[in-house]
Amino acid sequence: MPGWTRGKGRSMLEKFADHIRRQELLRPGMRLLVAISGGLDSVVLLDLLAQLAPEWRLELTAAHFNHQLRGAEADRDEVFVRALCAGRAIPCETGRGDVRAFARANHLSIEAAGRALRYDFLLRTARQCGCAAIVTAHHAGDQAETVLDRLIRGAGVRGLAGISPRSLIAAAPDLPSSAASGGEPPAPLLLLRPLLFAGRTEIAAHAAARGLEFRADTTNSDRRIRRNRIRHELLPLLSGYNPAIEAVLGRTAGHMRELEEYLCGEARAALSRCAVEAGAGKIILEKESFLSYFTLLQKYLLREAWERIGGDSRDLDEAFWPRWEQFLAAGRTDRGLAAGSIELWLTEHRLVLLAKRPAAAAMGIPAAPGRYLLWDGMTLEINRVAPPLELIEKNRDSRLAWIDAGLVGKALQLRPPRPGDRLRPLGLKGSKKVADLLAGAEVPVYERRRIPLLCSGDEIVWICGIRAAGPFRVTPRTTNIYQLKVDINRDSAL
């Protein structure tokens, strides 16, 4: 590992290298994308990384995003960054976006829209350039502002942990799904903040000592912006109570990060102990085991499961938890709880988390032998057979059914249940509601809307995997028999 010196009077570069080592932020030979606005903090970050680059064998690419919020001033920032990087022979990638228009179109604040477009640009650029990490210039002052802002708004342990020196990022925060690229989600990249140890005074002193030029963003002094009021009004006020307030808030964030990491680890272990099933888009928990953990760990366990099936943990906000407590206390099995892209359901012994899926759509198939793919990966096979009637009558495999092929038309339909559906069950007189038959078969409520019904015209032939209809049964007079076989995974409601 590259070396450095320790002790009093260390230079900014030595402190920077020491912080990187202690936090294990970089490895020799890494390719980094350095986010640079042209302001003091990012110029100092680029200078420090450029000094480390030969010894650490770092490959640097700079990236600048023009938010188009400050007209000619923003354009001059972009020109400055290009010239700065050219002077250091550092490759520079630039991008721009109409933040105001994006904010209006997606009902976002200017700050959220700018963050979404900026990080989307940084992620795309890092992947195109083959960079292992994105590096930003967040410092101790940013950390203090973040902790205070979240404390004022209301936050838990994760919120008060502030800005992490090292995290993973796969998609831009606040980027609406309609604006995201389709396909499989890309692998996450490292997001590094190696300047969190340094305050503004120290950063400015390094710039002065090195003769670094930088741009000043005039919006940073706009007191109408909440963040600026915290920086220019609240922090100076608090420094009257404690001159080291930035450092104190930074240490508090560090303590909260340690607690957050511990609770997340405990939640992962608890999830492995009480998960009955964990697959794509669905996790089923043993309810009694889940409830045996104290309330805070239940929340962390739920969040861990939530994120594993693609849920956004931001949906688990302060408004969600009272709804969750009411849902859990009511214990109802006929109604779920939805938030964002996830649904929660209770059964007698289970807690089920489901990623929302597109509604199952009706599909037509020929009334002929073949294998047909349904929704949710289910399949239906139709085979022409000639088994003894006695064998059919003795069947106890719910995946199988036999019908008189002469009693159905040339086309069949597969569709999900509808309100009011009725079936004339094989072996019973009259008709019954499909909903009652599904309940009697102990199909969980959350699955009933996706059970396929095989229909001939307006008549239901088979509730697939559950119950066949009497009017289509095989009799001694039947000459053409179809065997139906469904491959369907169904949870037990028990």
Side-chain angles (χ1 to χ4, degrees), residues 367 384 403-409 472-474 478-482:
R384 184 175 282 109
I403 62 171
D404 187 327
L407 298 177
V408 297
F472 300 92
R473 69 186 183 279
V474 174
T478 301
T479 58
N480 190 6
I481 300 173
Y482 281 160

Side-chain angles (χ1 to χ4, degrees), residues 277 282 284 352 354 442-444 446-447 489-493:
E277 179 183 334
K282 178 167 63 179
I284 302 177
V352 182
L354 288 174
E442 297 183 334
V443 178
Y446 59 85
E447 283 194 339
N489 290 321
R490 185 160 66 79
D491 297 337
S492 169

Side-chain angles (χ1 to χ4, degrees), residues 170-171 177 179-187:
S177 57
S181 58
E184 287 295 314

